[in-house]
Amino acid sequence: MQNTQNHQAQPLISFVITYHNEPVSMLRECIDSILSLTLAEEEREIILIDDGSDVSPLNELFEYRDKMVYLRQRNQGLSTARNMGMEVCHGTFIQFVDADDCLIRAGYEHCLDIIRYKDPDMVVFNFTKEDTEVDTPYLFDGPMTGTEYMKHNNLRATAWGYAFARKLLLDLRFTPNLLHEDEEFTPQLVLRADKLFSTDTFAYYYRERADSIVHNNSTRWKLKRLDDAEYVIQQLHHLADTLPSAERLALQRRVAQLTMDYIYNVIMLTRSGHQLDERLDRLQARGLYPLPERDYTAKYKYFRKMMNTAIGKKLLLRTLPLLNKEK
């Protein structure tokens, strides 16, 4: 079932909302946060992708029927839902929004000003997990290339953490059925940006929910999370080898950080020396371990030093906090 709207004029920005069984009250808050922005009707496009929810929310969204496009697919996962949104959207820019999250008006207006007046390819912003009033710094860095940004910053790979020009996509899409789809998608997109602006303004409210997939503690889910992360690391590592020097160095930094996070999660999710050794052997066979000696961050340097000795590995296995305490 689909509501349509007039696409005679190209919208400035398409908001792609992905939905799967979230409370409709949260979805309404999400849509209202978009409608509250200072965008004329012809400047915005709201596309709601229902990824096979048990009950369609459409009957409870009657007042929004002329303000959005609603598309329903059988349950195929977040990646496929986002891919559908990218296929049908018309905006010059794209912004992903999860159905249980919201845009923060003051912060996102700042991002819109950058989009309107600076002709960017991408605007990277900050987010908060606190449902409270937050300060809105109106500063920004840029323009810079995506390569420069990745060489000097720890990338926040969440796909809703930036607005980007649709022209950057070309054939780039999310890999279906992948838990770490953002980690694979975002670095490739950032490298395509010639004019990236970065701001610390809080433009997105990320709502943590107890029933979210990130809180799934089943053994099957833990192993899939680790296997998918390993797949992403291998894909980006292979891609880096095909890139020119500057882009290769930028992506290699991201690969090293992801590898560090992966090893950390092997420890946190399995608490198994056998699992750790087995997975380190696979990384080493692909040239991903030991971690490269780089001055990326203090945390990276410490973790690399600990992982380079047998005693250090044993200490990390014993002393890193248990997963339920970390959450």
Side-chain angles (χ1 to χ4, degrees):
M1 187 173 183
Q2 177 178 347
N3 291 333
T4 58
Q5 64 185 137
N6 191 340
H7 292 299
Q8 289 181 352
Q10 183 179 22
L12 175 65
I13 184 165
S14 294
F15 298 93
V16 177
I17 305 173
T18 47
Y19 175 83
H20 178 71
N21 290 339
E22 290 85 359
V24 177
S25 60
M26 292 183 181
L27 174 59
R28 294 170 67 93
E29 288 180 39
C30 176
I31 297 171
D32 285 339
S33 74
I34 296 171
L35 294 176
S36 72
L37 299 171
T38 56
L39 287 165
E41 185 174 352
E42 64 273 11
E43 288 184 302
R44 69 166 182 263
E45 178 182 54
I46 301 176
I47 299 175
L48 174 60
I49 308 295
D50 180 352
D51 182 37
S53 54
D54 295 338
V55 178
S56 168
L58 196 56
N59 288 338
E60 298 183 59
L61 302 173
F62 185 77
E63 69 269 36
Y64 303 109
R65 67 192 186 282
D66 296 325
K67 296 180 172 64
M68 70 177 189
V69 174
Y70 171 82
L71 296 171
R72 181 174 170 86
Q73 64 177 29
R74 65 180 177 84
N75 181 224
Q76 299 177 73
L78 180 59
S79 293
T80 303
R82 285 175 172 166
N83 287 343
M84 177 181 286
M86 289 187 290
E87 291 294 337
V88 302
C89 72
H90 299 81
T92 303
F93 287 84
I94 297 174
Q95 174 67 59
F96 291 115
V97 191
D98 289 349
D100 51 352
D101 298 338
C102 294
L103 299 181
I104 300 171
R105 181 174 180 176
Y108 205 83
E109 291 288 359
H110 175 51
C111 298
L112 288 176
D113 284 343
I114 298 173
I115 288 173
R116 287 175 173 131
Y117 302 115
K118 298 297 182 180
D119 189 31
D121 291 325
M122 179 176 286
V123 179
V124 179
F125 49 77
N126 211 340
F127 72 95
T128 180
K129 298 180 182 180
E130 303 298 326
D131 187 18
T132 57
E133 194 75 22
V134 292
D135 292 334
T136 304
Y138 292 105
L139 302 175
F140 59 84
D141 294 321
M144 67 191 88
T145 65
T147 299
E148 291 172 322
Y149 180 78
M150 283 181 58
K151 281 176 64 177
H152 302 292
N153 295 275
N154 288 344
L155 188 67
R156 294 191 295 265
T158 49
W160 42 254
Y162 49 84
F164 66 95
R166 184 162 57 96
K167 67 182 182 181
L168 295 182
L169 281 173
L170 301 175
D171 61 347
L172 181 61
R173 297 294 184 271
F174 292 95
T175 299
N177 302 314
L178 195 65
L179 284 178
H180 294 268
E181 72 282 346
D182 294 11
E183 294 287 7
E184 182 186 32
F185 177 89
T186 296
Q188 296 181 72
L189 188 69
V190 170
L191 286 176
R192 299 180 180 195
D194 290 326
K195 291 180 65 177
L196 182 148
F197 291 82
S198 174
T199 174
D200 284 334
T201 194
F202 295 98
Y204 192 97
Y205 169 42
Y206 170 67
R207 199 191 310 256
E208 287 194 299
R209 295 168 54 221
D211 58 347
S212 169
I213 190 172
V214 299
H215 295 287
N216 189 331
N217 283 322
S218 71
T219 299
R220 176 181 293 183
W221 178 85
K222 291 176 183 178
L223 293 177
K224 176 170 173 53
R225 177 178 172 183
L226 293 174
D227 291 344
D228 285 2
E230 188 175 338
Y231 167 83
V232 169
I233 291 166
Q234 292 174 21
Q235 293 297 108
L236 295 180
H237 178 61
H238 174 72
L239 175 62
D241 288 340
T242 70
L243 297 175
S245 177
E247 288 88 344
R248 182 171 65 253
L249 289 173
L251 190 53
Q252 283 174 342
R253 171 177 175 146
R254 186 60 188 162
V255 168
Q257 291 170 318
L258 286 175
T259 305
M260 177 188 72
D261 291 342
Y262 168 74
I263 296 169
Y264 177 89
N265 283 324
V266 171
I267 296 172
M268 295 291 289
L269 292 172
T270 71
R271 316 303 299 188
S272 166
H274 172 73
Q275 275 279 347
L276 180 61
D277 288 340
E278 184 178 286
R279 290 175 181 271
L280 289 179
D281 286 343
R282 291 207 297 267
L283 291 176
Q284 188 168 17
R286 295 177 172 88
L288 291 160
Y289 180 81
L291 294 169
E293 187 174 359
R294 297 286 188 272
D295 291 331
Y296 292 144
T297 64
K299 177 183 176 182
Y300 176 87
K301 288 188 288 184
Y302 169 79
F303 193 84
R304 180 187 179 278
K305 182 177 180 181
M306 293 291 286
M307 287 301 302
N308 276 354
T309 67
I311 294 176
K313 283 190 286 187
K314 288 181 180 179
L315 283 173
L316 289 175
L317 275 166
R318 292 175 181 174
T319 60
L320 283 178
L322 294 175
L323 180 61
N324 58 0
K325 292 182 179 179
E326 180 198 28
K327 296 297 184 184

